[in-house]
Amino acid sequence: MTTAQLIDGNALSKQLREDVAARTTALKARGITPGLAVVLVGENPASQVYVRNKVKACQDAGLHSVLEKFDVSMTEAELLARVDALNNDPTIHGILVQLPLPAHIDAHKVIEAISPAKDVDGFHVASAGALMVGRPGFWPCTPYGCMKMLESIGYSLRGKHAVVIGRSNIVGKPMALMLLQQNATVTICHSATPDLKAMTLQADVIVAAVGKRNVLTADMVKPGAVVLDVGMNRNDEGKLCGDVDFAGVSQVASHITPVPGGVGPMTITMLLVNTLEAAEREST
Ligand code: GUN
Protein backbone atom coordinates (compact mmCIF):
# COMPACT_ATOMS: atom_id res chain seq x y z
CA MET A 1 0.00 0.00 0.00
CA THR A 2 1.23 3.44 -0.87
CA THR A 3 0.13 6.89 0.13
CA ALA A 4 -0.94 9.16 -2.71
CA GLN A 5 1.03 12.25 -3.55
CA LEU A 6 -0.84 15.44 -2.77
CA ILE A 7 -1.57 17.91 -5.54
CA ASP A 8 -1.19 21.10 -3.56
CA GLY A 9 -3.65 23.73 -4.80
CA ASN A 10 -2.21 26.42 -2.56
CA ALA A 11 1.34 25.97 -3.86
CA LEU A 12 0.23 25.80 -7.50
CA SER A 13 -2.01 28.85 -7.00
CA LYS A 14 0.85 30.81 -5.53
CA GLN A 15 2.98 30.07 -8.57
CA LEU A 16 0.21 30.92 -11.05
CA ARG A 17 -0.77 34.08 -9.18
CA GLU A 18 2.84 35.27 -9.27
CA ASP A 19 2.71 34.84 -13.04
CA VAL A 20 -0.56 36.79 -13.17
CA ALA A 21 1.00 39.57 -11.06
CA ALA A 22 4.02 39.79 -13.38
CA ARG A 23 1.85 39.91 -16.52
CA THR A 24 -0.38 42.50 -14.83
CA THR A 25 2.64 44.69 -14.15
CA ALA A 26 3.65 44.41 -17.82
CA LEU A 27 0.14 45.32 -18.97
CA LYS A 28 -0.01 48.27 -16.58
CA ALA A 29 3.27 49.54 -18.05
CA ARG A 30 1.34 49.79 -21.32
CA GLY A 31 -1.39 51.81 -19.62
CA ILE A 32 -3.95 49.02 -19.08
CA THR A 33 -5.00 47.84 -15.64
CA PRO A 34 -7.03 44.61 -15.79
CA GLY A 35 -10.33 45.14 -13.99
CA LEU A 36 -12.89 42.72 -12.55
CA ALA A 37 -16.41 43.66 -11.45
CA VAL A 38 -18.01 41.28 -8.97
CA VAL A 39 -21.77 41.66 -8.58
CA LEU A 40 -23.58 40.28 -5.55
CA VAL A 41 -27.34 40.49 -5.06
CA GLY A 42 -28.69 39.66 -1.60
CA GLU A 43 -27.11 38.38 1.57
CA ASN A 44 -26.26 34.71 0.95
CA PRO A 45 -23.55 34.13 3.61
CA ALA A 46 -21.45 31.73 1.51
CA SER A 47 -21.61 34.07 -1.48
CA GLN A 48 -20.45 36.96 0.70
CA VAL A 49 -17.33 35.01 1.66
CA TYR A 50 -16.68 33.94 -1.95
CA VAL A 51 -16.96 37.45 -3.40
CA ARG A 52 -14.78 38.92 -0.68
CA ASN A 53 -12.09 36.34 -1.46
CA LYS A 54 -12.32 37.03 -5.19
CA VAL A 55 -11.94 40.79 -4.75
CA LYS A 56 -9.04 40.38 -2.32
CA ALA A 57 -7.21 37.95 -4.65
CA CYS A 58 -7.50 40.53 -7.46
CA GLN A 59 -6.07 43.26 -5.31
CA ASP A 60 -3.21 41.03 -4.12
CA ALA A 61 -2.24 40.32 -7.74
CA GLY A 62 -2.40 44.01 -8.71
CA LEU A 63 -5.67 43.88 -10.63
CA HIS A 64 -8.37 46.52 -10.29
CA SER A 65 -11.50 45.12 -8.72
CA VAL A 66 -14.88 46.49 -7.75
CA LEU A 67 -17.51 44.79 -5.63
CA GLU A 68 -21.07 45.89 -6.37
CA LYS A 69 -23.47 44.77 -3.65
CA PHE A 70 -27.20 45.13 -4.13
CA ASP A 71 -30.20 44.55 -1.95
CA VAL A 72 -32.17 41.34 -2.43
CA SER A 73 -35.07 43.47 -3.64
CA MET A 74 -33.18 44.50 -6.79
CA THR A 75 -35.29 43.80 -9.88
CA GLU A 76 -34.15 41.79 -12.86
CA ALA A 77 -34.39 44.91 -15.05
CA GLU A 78 -32.16 46.84 -12.65
CA LEU A 79 -29.56 44.07 -12.66
CA LEU A 80 -29.64 43.83 -16.47
CA ALA A 81 -29.06 47.58 -16.63
CA ARG A 82 -26.04 47.24 -14.29
CA VAL A 83 -24.59 44.45 -16.44
CA ASP A 84 -25.09 46.59 -19.54
CA ALA A 85 -23.26 49.49 -17.90
CA LEU A 86 -20.35 47.19 -16.97
CA ASN A 87 -20.26 45.82 -20.53
CA ASN A 88 -19.64 49.39 -21.67
CA ASP A 89 -17.18 50.32 -18.91
CA PRO A 90 -13.65 50.43 -20.38
CA THR A 91 -12.01 49.97 -16.94
CA ILE A 92 -13.74 46.59 -16.54
CA HIS A 93 -12.47 43.55 -18.46
CA GLY A 94 -14.24 40.83 -16.52
CA ILE A 95 -17.78 40.66 -15.11
CA LEU A 96 -18.81 38.08 -12.53
CA VAL A 97 -22.37 37.88 -11.27
CA GLN A 98 -22.27 35.70 -8.18
CA LEU A 99 -24.72 32.81 -8.17
CA PRO A 100 -27.22 31.89 -6.85
CA LEU A 101 -29.36 34.92 -7.64
CA PRO A 102 -32.64 35.58 -5.81
CA ALA A 103 -35.53 33.47 -7.18
CA HIS A 104 -37.29 36.45 -8.84
CA ILE A 105 -34.29 36.98 -11.16
CA ASP A 106 -33.69 34.71 -14.16
CA ALA A 107 -29.99 33.82 -13.82
CA HIS A 108 -29.78 32.59 -17.42
CA LYS A 109 -31.06 35.90 -18.70
CA VAL A 110 -28.53 37.81 -16.61
CA ILE A 111 -25.57 35.65 -17.66
CA GLU A 112 -26.59 35.90 -21.32
CA ALA A 113 -26.55 39.70 -20.91
CA ILE A 114 -22.83 39.69 -20.05
CA SER A 115 -20.63 40.42 -23.05
CA PRO A 116 -18.85 37.11 -23.94
CA ALA A 117 -15.61 39.12 -24.15
CA LYS A 118 -16.00 39.88 -20.43
CA ASP A 119 -17.45 36.52 -19.35
CA VAL A 120 -14.53 35.49 -17.12
CA ASP A 121 -16.73 32.92 -15.31
CA GLY A 122 -17.22 31.14 -18.65
CA PHE A 123 -20.95 30.68 -17.97
CA HIS A 124 -22.36 32.42 -21.08
CA VAL A 125 -23.79 30.06 -23.74
CA ALA A 126 -21.26 31.55 -26.16
CA SER A 127 -18.43 30.51 -23.80
CA ALA A 128 -19.94 27.05 -23.34
CA GLY A 129 -20.33 26.72 -27.11
CA ALA A 130 -16.75 27.83 -27.73
CA LEU A 131 -15.48 25.16 -25.32
CA MET A 132 -17.72 22.57 -26.99
CA VAL A 133 -16.33 23.24 -30.48
CA GLY A 134 -12.75 24.03 -29.42
CA ARG A 135 -12.78 27.74 -30.25
CA PRO A 136 -11.14 30.46 -28.11
CA GLY A 137 -13.28 31.59 -25.20
CA PHE A 138 -13.28 31.67 -21.43
CA TRP A 139 -13.32 28.35 -19.60
CA PRO A 140 -15.21 27.95 -16.32
CA CYS A 141 -12.70 28.47 -13.53
CA THR A 142 -13.13 25.29 -11.46
CA PRO A 143 -12.68 22.69 -14.23
CA TYR A 144 -9.97 24.90 -15.78
CA GLY A 145 -8.17 24.79 -12.41
CA CYS A 146 -8.50 20.99 -12.39
CA MET A 147 -6.82 20.83 -15.81
CA LYS A 148 -3.97 22.99 -14.49
CA MET A 149 -3.56 20.58 -11.56
CA LEU A 150 -3.22 17.63 -13.96
CA GLU A 151 -0.76 19.66 -16.03
CA SER A 152 1.27 20.42 -12.88
CA ILE A 153 2.00 16.72 -12.32
CA GLY A 154 2.85 16.25 -16.00
CA TYR A 155 -0.12 13.94 -16.52
CA SER A 156 -0.93 13.02 -20.12
CA LEU A 157 -4.65 12.35 -20.64
CA ARG A 158 -4.25 10.83 -24.10
CA GLY A 159 -5.84 7.38 -24.14
CA LYS A 160 -6.76 7.53 -20.45
CA HIS A 161 -10.23 6.89 -19.06
CA ALA A 162 -11.54 9.85 -17.09
CA VAL A 163 -14.70 9.55 -15.01
CA VAL A 164 -16.47 12.74 -13.98
CA ILE A 165 -19.00 12.40 -11.19
CA GLY A 166 -21.52 15.23 -11.49
CA ARG A 167 -23.07 16.96 -14.50
CA SER A 168 -23.46 20.59 -13.48
CA ASN A 169 -23.05 23.38 -16.02
CA ILE A 170 -20.36 24.95 -13.80
CA VAL A 171 -18.15 21.88 -13.25
CA GLY A 172 -19.18 18.44 -14.53
CA LYS A 173 -20.13 19.21 -18.12
CA PRO A 174 -17.27 21.63 -18.93
CA MET A 175 -14.83 19.31 -17.10
CA ALA A 176 -15.81 16.43 -19.39
CA LEU A 177 -15.26 18.57 -22.50
CA MET A 178 -11.82 19.73 -21.33
CA LEU A 179 -10.74 16.13 -20.63
CA LEU A 180 -12.09 15.08 -24.02
CA GLN A 181 -10.15 17.87 -25.71
CA GLN A 182 -6.98 16.35 -24.21
CA ASN A 183 -7.86 12.99 -25.77
CA ALA A 184 -9.19 11.18 -22.71
CA THR A 185 -12.07 8.73 -23.01
CA VAL A 186 -14.67 10.37 -20.81
CA THR A 187 -17.58 9.00 -18.81
CA ILE A 188 -19.99 11.33 -17.02
CA CYS A 189 -21.74 9.77 -14.03
CA HIS A 190 -24.62 11.31 -12.09
CA SER A 191 -27.45 10.60 -9.69
CA ALA A 192 -29.19 8.24 -12.14
CA THR A 193 -26.05 6.16 -12.83
CA PRO A 194 -27.02 2.67 -11.61
CA ASP A 195 -23.55 1.37 -10.64
CA LEU A 196 -21.14 4.21 -9.96
CA LYS A 197 -18.47 1.91 -8.54
CA ALA A 198 -18.37 -0.17 -11.74
CA MET A 199 -17.57 3.05 -13.63
CA THR A 200 -15.04 4.57 -11.23
CA LEU A 201 -13.12 1.28 -10.93
CA GLN A 202 -12.28 1.62 -14.64
CA ALA A 203 -11.00 5.18 -14.29
CA ASP A 204 -7.43 6.43 -14.57
CA VAL A 205 -8.65 9.89 -13.52
CA ILE A 206 -11.66 10.63 -11.33
CA VAL A 207 -13.16 14.09 -10.80
CA ALA A 208 -15.71 14.17 -7.99
CA ALA A 209 -18.05 17.17 -8.30
CA VAL A 210 -21.30 16.27 -6.60
CA GLY A 211 -21.43 18.26 -3.36
CA LYS A 212 -21.93 15.25 -1.08
CA ARG A 213 -19.52 13.63 1.37
CA ASN A 214 -18.01 10.19 0.72
CA VAL A 215 -19.29 9.91 -2.84
CA LEU A 216 -15.96 8.22 -3.61
CA THR A 217 -14.49 5.64 -1.23
CA ALA A 218 -11.32 3.52 -1.45
CA ASP A 219 -13.12 0.40 -2.75
CA MET A 220 -14.28 2.42 -5.80
CA VAL A 221 -10.80 3.46 -6.94
CA LYS A 222 -8.34 1.56 -9.14
CA PRO A 223 -4.84 1.50 -7.61
CA GLY A 224 -2.75 4.34 -9.05
CA ALA A 225 -5.67 6.48 -10.22
CA VAL A 226 -5.52 10.28 -10.01
CA VAL A 227 -8.34 11.76 -7.92
CA LEU A 228 -9.49 15.39 -8.03
CA ASP A 229 -11.99 16.45 -5.37
CA VAL A 230 -14.16 19.45 -6.24
CA GLY A 231 -16.51 19.02 -3.25
CA MET A 232 -16.95 21.65 -0.54
CA ASN A 233 -18.92 20.11 2.29
CA ARG A 234 -18.93 20.13 6.08
CA ASN A 235 -18.48 16.97 8.12
CA ASP A 236 -20.25 16.19 11.43
CA GLU A 237 -17.68 18.26 13.32
CA GLY A 238 -18.31 21.22 11.00
CA LYS A 239 -14.94 20.84 9.31
CA LEU A 240 -14.56 21.52 5.59
CA CYS A 241 -14.39 18.30 3.57
CA GLY A 242 -14.74 17.23 -0.04
CA ASP A 243 -16.74 14.56 -1.88
CA VAL A 244 -13.91 12.01 -1.49
CA ASP A 245 -13.15 9.87 1.56
CA PHE A 246 -9.65 11.30 1.69
CA ALA A 247 -8.22 8.98 4.37
CA GLY A 248 -9.24 5.86 2.48
CA VAL A 249 -8.76 6.96 -1.13
CA SER A 250 -5.29 8.40 -0.48
CA GLN A 251 -4.17 4.83 0.33
CA VAL A 252 -5.12 3.69 -3.20
CA ALA A 253 -4.69 6.68 -5.54
CA SER A 254 -1.34 7.82 -6.96
CA HIS A 255 -2.26 11.52 -6.68
CA ILE A 256 -5.08 13.25 -4.82
CA THR A 257 -6.21 16.81 -4.12
CA PRO A 258 -6.93 17.67 -0.48
CA VAL A 259 -9.89 19.69 0.84
CA PRO A 260 -9.19 22.38 1.86
CA GLY A 261 -6.11 23.45 -0.09
CA GLY A 262 -6.85 21.61 -3.33
CA VAL A 263 -9.22 22.66 -6.09
CA GLY A 264 -10.70 25.53 -4.03
CA PRO A 265 -7.84 28.02 -4.34
CA MET A 266 -7.44 27.10 -8.01
CA THR A 267 -10.94 28.39 -8.84
CA ILE A 268 -10.08 31.94 -7.82
CA THR A 269 -6.65 31.66 -9.43
CA MET A 270 -8.20 30.81 -12.79
CA LEU A 271 -10.60 33.74 -12.40
CA LEU A 272 -7.55 35.99 -12.14
CA VAL A 273 -6.02 34.31 -15.19
CA ASN A 274 -9.24 34.78 -17.19
CA THR A 275 -9.55 38.44 -16.16
CA LEU A 276 -5.95 39.13 -17.10
CA GLU A 277 -6.48 37.39 -20.43
CA ALA A 278 -9.61 39.41 -21.09
CA ALA A 279 -7.54 42.57 -20.63
CA GLU A 280 -4.65 41.22 -22.72
CA ARG A 281 -6.99 40.21 -25.56
CA GLU A 282 -8.57 43.63 -25.58
CA SER A 283 -5.15 45.30 -25.73
CA THR A 284 -3.96 43.42 -28.82
N1 GUN B 1 -21.40 30.39 -7.14
C1 GUN B 1 -20.67 29.32 -6.77
N2 GUN B 1 -19.57 29.23 -7.53
C2 GUN B 1 -19.60 30.26 -8.38
C3 GUN B 1 -18.72 30.71 -9.40
O1 GUN B 1 -17.67 30.11 -9.69
N3 GUN B 1 -19.09 31.83 -10.04
C4 GUN B 1 -20.23 32.49 -9.77
N4 GUN B 1 -20.51 33.58 -10.48
N5 GUN B 1 -21.06 32.11 -8.84
C5 GUN B 1 -20.74 31.00 -8.15
Side-chain angles (χ1 to χ4, degrees):
M1 230 178 246
T2 53
T3 301
Q5 255 182 282
L6 283 189
I7 310 178
D8 183 340
N10 285 324
L12 181 57
S13 282
K14 184 166 179 285
Q15 202 182 315
L16 292 170
R17 289 185 199 195
E18 280 167 7
D19 180 54
V20 167
R23 282 162 64 190
T24 298
T25 302
L27 204 56
K28 281 178 169 172
R30 293 170 43 207
I32 301 157
T33 300
L36 174 71
V38 178
V39 178
L40 175 64
V41 183
E43 310 269 315
N44 182 306
S47 290
Q48 290 184 337
V49 175
Y50 293 147
V51 297
R52 213 180 307 132
N53 290 341
K54 289 170 184 177
V55 169
K56 182 172 184 306
C58 278
Q59 290 164 350
D60 290 347
L63 284 76
H64 165 63
S65 169
V66 288
L67 174 56
E68 299 201 354
K69 287 173 95 166
F70 297 102
D71 193 82
V72 68
S73 65
M74 183 185 218
T75 66
E76 185 179 281
E78 285 166 342
L79 180 54
L80 290 170
R82 259 329 285 156
V83 168
D84 190 50
L86 292 168
N87 281 338
N88 292 303
D89 182 341
T91 69
I92 295 300
H93 303 91
I95 302 169
L96 182 154
V97 178
Q98 186 66 26
L99 303 179
L101 286 167
H104 65 274
I105 298 178
D106 181 345
H108 287 289
K109 207 163 158 187
V110 173
I111 288 164
E112 275 18 297
I114 297 170
S115 163
K118 297 189 178 187
D119 177 36
V120 289
D121 249 339
F123 292 172
H124 195 289
V125 288
S127 303
L131 170 60
M132 173 107 180
V133 298
R135 299 283 295 160
F138 292 111
W139 285 7
C141 301
T142 300
Y144 191 9
C146 289
M147 294 304 285
K148 284 283 172 194
M149 295 182 108
L150 291 174
E151 190 185 307
S152 77
I153 59 165
Y155 192 84
S156 169
L157 283 158
R158 171 174 286 273
K160 299 295 196 332
H161 188 179
V163 169
V164 178
I165 316 173
R167 54 174 155 176
S168 70
N169 289 332
I170 297 183
V171 184
K173 281 191 252 180
M175 183 81 254
L177 290 169
M178 290 175 202
L179 294 163
L180 182 64
Q181 196 179 87
Q182 294 293 313
N183 300 302
T185 301
V186 182
T187 302
I188 306 177
C189 298
H190 46 79
S191 51
T193 300
D195 190 351
L196 178 62
K197 180 177 171 177
M199 295 295 143
T200 56
L201 274 175
Q202 297 176 35
D204 302 300
V205 177
I206 303 171
V207 182
V210 175
K212 220 171 79 185
R213 281 165 58 195
N214 296 332
V215 160
L216 191 74
T217 48
D219 57 304
M220 300 168 72
V221 178
K222 182 168 79 173
V226 175
V227 176
L228 306 181
D229 189 350
V230 179
M232 283 260 251
N233 313 300
R234 298 268 167 194
N235 68 13
D236 294 335
E237 291 93 54
K239 262 180 61 184
L240 200 63
C241 68
D243 290 353
V244 174
D245 170 28
F246 182 86
V249 172
S250 59
Q251 300 302 305
V252 183
S254 68
H255 295 79
I256 189 167
T257 65
V259 177
V263 175
M266 292 299 292
T267 296
I268 294 186
T269 299
M270 300 326 290
L271 175 67
L272 301 181
V273 169
N274 280 348
T275 303
L276 171 65
E277 276 178 9
E280 285 178 345
R281 282 177 204 180
E282 203 210 57
S283 74
T284 53

